[in-house]
Amino acid sequence: FPSHDTRGGILMVLGSVVMGLDAQHFFFYGICLIIVGTGFFKPNISTMVGELYRNGDPRRDAGFSLFYAGITIGALLGGGLCVFVGKTYSWNFAFLLSGMFMAIGLLNFLWTRKFLGPIGATPSSDKPSKDLRNRWMVYAGSIAVLPIIFIMIRKTEYTDLFMYTIGPITLLYLAYEMGKLNKAQIKNMLAALIFILLSIVFWSFFEQSGGSLSLFARDLVSSNMLGLTIDPNVVNNSANSFFVICFSALIGMLWVWLNKKKLEPNYFSKFGMAFLFLSLSFYMFYSLRFIQDENGLVSLGIFTLAYLVISIGELFLSPIGLSLMTKLSPKHMWGIMMGMWFLASAGQYRDWE
């Protein structure tokens, strides 16, 4: 896994640098590199977190909650800083700045990798030459698909076609791999797939922040809260990240404390509570229509509070789902199950009309 993470990090750095050279003309080329780099990096780094814990370790969910907070800190600070630099100075400089921070993160990963010991190490094999050949085929294939990715991001109808086909193909591959497992492992894998399907429903509502809720904040939400004037779309874009950072560690410690008291809810209960928080948050968004000022604008405070509720729901589902993928699937399938989890999160962007 570390070698894949390293290559993924290098590609993401290169993608940012390409965009930084000339964002207007090279933007899509840089995005292609970042997409492939993310494919190498994101599932594998998540899998390495799972390897930090032995089977049955009650701290696994808490560990993924902390990991999730770290991701969100980067998203909040990096996104805010780069957008500020892009709007104030230059988008070329903003993307170069992004690449610089990615390079710092990559160097830090390479420097600290020695402290991980066997975590993420390539498993021993009696056919090392075949394994090496397969790895290089994956690397060569990732470069070969760059033109295809470029076409998909320029023409979204091809992206739709990809989403229609990649899911069934992946499920067929999983069915093939599951045929090699015993009954207990197959049962666990089916449970993991159920959780993945549930996540699609959750994210389809949650990600309204980038669509309908963004328009709602722009047009119908007041900019006054606690005597301050705040752009409602700043709240819409950053409140979730802020609350996730604030509460990730607390909820992680809650799982550890409940486990010690033998009161920790099972995974279905955690997912169920995530949906309850999600539902409550949208009831709060809906209730805003009954609380309007003389200008027809609704309360920014209640809008923000609704984001607090939906963020708590996210913490009951997303880091728990990452933890589940490493708990329910055999170790040799952790990478693909992480990929399935992230693929499912893309399913909610489909236009189902």
Side-chain angles (χ1 to χ4, degrees):
F1 292 131
S3 61
H4 296 324
D5 291 325
T6 302
R7 286 173 173 81
I10 291 172
L11 286 172
M12 288 189 287
V13 171
L14 288 175
S16 295
V17 171
V18 168
M19 290 191 294
L21 294 176
D22 189 336
Q24 183 176 0
H25 295 98
F26 297 155
F27 179 81
F28 288 109
Y29 299 105
I31 285 291
C32 290
L33 292 170
I34 290 176
I35 289 172
V36 175
T38 303
F40 276 116
F41 187 85
K42 196 171 182 179
N44 291 309
I45 197 71
S46 303
T47 298
M48 289 178 67
V49 176
E51 281 199 82
L52 294 172
Y53 302 95
R54 297 185 178 91
N55 290 334
D57 194 325
R59 300 171 298 172
R60 182 186 294 265
D61 290 358
F64 271 99
S65 293
L66 285 174
F67 170 68
Y68 201 71
I71 296 172
T72 309
I73 290 172
L76 178 64
L77 297 180
L81 178 62
C82 289
V83 170
F84 171 78
V85 172
K87 288 185 174 182
T88 307
Y89 299 100
S90 163
W91 283 107
N92 291 351
F93 184 59
F95 288 125
L96 287 174
L97 187 65
S98 172
M100 183 185 73
F101 282 118
M102 287 185 188
I104 292 173
L106 177 61
L107 291 173
N108 180 64
F109 174 75
L110 293 173
W111 180 71
T112 58
R113 190 170 64 179
K114 60 186 177 183
F115 301 113
L116 295 175
I119 301 300
T122 302
S124 57
S125 172
D126 55 353
K127 298 179 180 179
S129 59
K130 181 180 179 181
D131 291 342
L132 180 62
R133 182 198 67 190
N134 290 340
R135 280 201 297 272
W136 279 108
M137 287 178 65
V138 170
Y139 300 147
S142 66
I143 300 301
V145 299
L146 285 173
I148 299 175
I149 295 174
F150 181 82
I151 293 172
M152 286 196 296
I153 61 178
R154 294 298 299 268
K155 297 184 178 181
T156 56
E157 61 268 25
Y158 293 114
T159 306
D160 294 341
L161 178 63
F162 175 80
M163 290 302 300
Y164 279 130
T165 56
I166 191 64
I169 290 173
T170 307
L171 288 174
L172 288 174
Y173 175 75
L174 280 179
Y176 168 75
E177 289 291 342
M178 288 168 62
K180 305 175 185 178
L181 306 178
N182 59 45
K183 289 184 178 180
Q185 291 174 321
I186 291 174
K187 184 178 179 180
N188 287 341
M189 289 289 288
L190 291 174
L193 290 174
I194 291 173
F195 284 114
I196 288 173
L197 291 174
L198 289 172
S199 75
I200 296 176
V201 179
F202 181 90
W203 294 122
S204 66
F205 287 91
F206 179 90
E207 293 295 346
Q208 293 301 310
S209 60
S212 59
L213 288 177
S214 178
L215 298 175
F216 182 73
R218 184 193 68 184
D219 299 332
L220 297 172
V221 178
S222 170
S223 59
N224 297 315
M225 183 171 64
L226 301 176
L228 301 174
T229 300
I230 305 173
D231 185 344
N233 252 320
V234 171
V235 174
N236 182 71
N237 294 336
S238 60
N240 170 245
S241 298
F242 175 76
F243 290 133
V244 165
I245 293 167
C246 290
F247 290 97
S248 291
L250 292 176
I251 291 179
M253 289 188 290
L254 174 66
W255 300 139
V256 174
W257 181 79
L258 288 174
N259 182 270
K260 290 180 179 179
K261 300 291 184 180
K262 300 188 183 302
L263 296 173
E264 184 180 8
N266 61 36
Y267 287 106
F268 278 107
S269 296
K270 290 177 181 178
F271 267 57
M273 286 186 282
F275 278 95
L276 289 176
F277 279 110
L278 178 70
S279 302
L280 177 59
S281 68
F282 273 88
Y283 273 116
M284 295 175 69
F285 286 130
Y286 176 76
S287 70
L288 288 170
R289 65 177 296 188
F290 305 108
I291 313 172
Q292 301 178 17
D293 62 16
E294 63 276 9
N295 297 315
L297 300 178
V298 301
S299 169
L300 179 59
I302 298 177
F303 185 79
T304 305
L305 186 61
Y307 261 107
L308 169 61
V309 175
I310 201 173
S311 299
I312 298 298
E314 179 187 4
L315 290 171
F316 275 62
L317 181 136
S318 191
I320 303 304
L322 294 172
S323 174
L324 270 172
M325 294 306 105
T326 63
K327 185 173 183 178
L328 293 176
S329 54
K331 189 173 181 179
H332 72 280
M333 296 186 69
W334 281 6
I336 188 170
M337 291 306 293
M338 281 293 182
M340 279 288 291
W341 176 264
F342 294 124
L343 175 64
S345 69
Q348 45 84 19
Y349 292 108
R350 282 286 304 111
D351 182 2
W352 298 106
E353 295 181 359

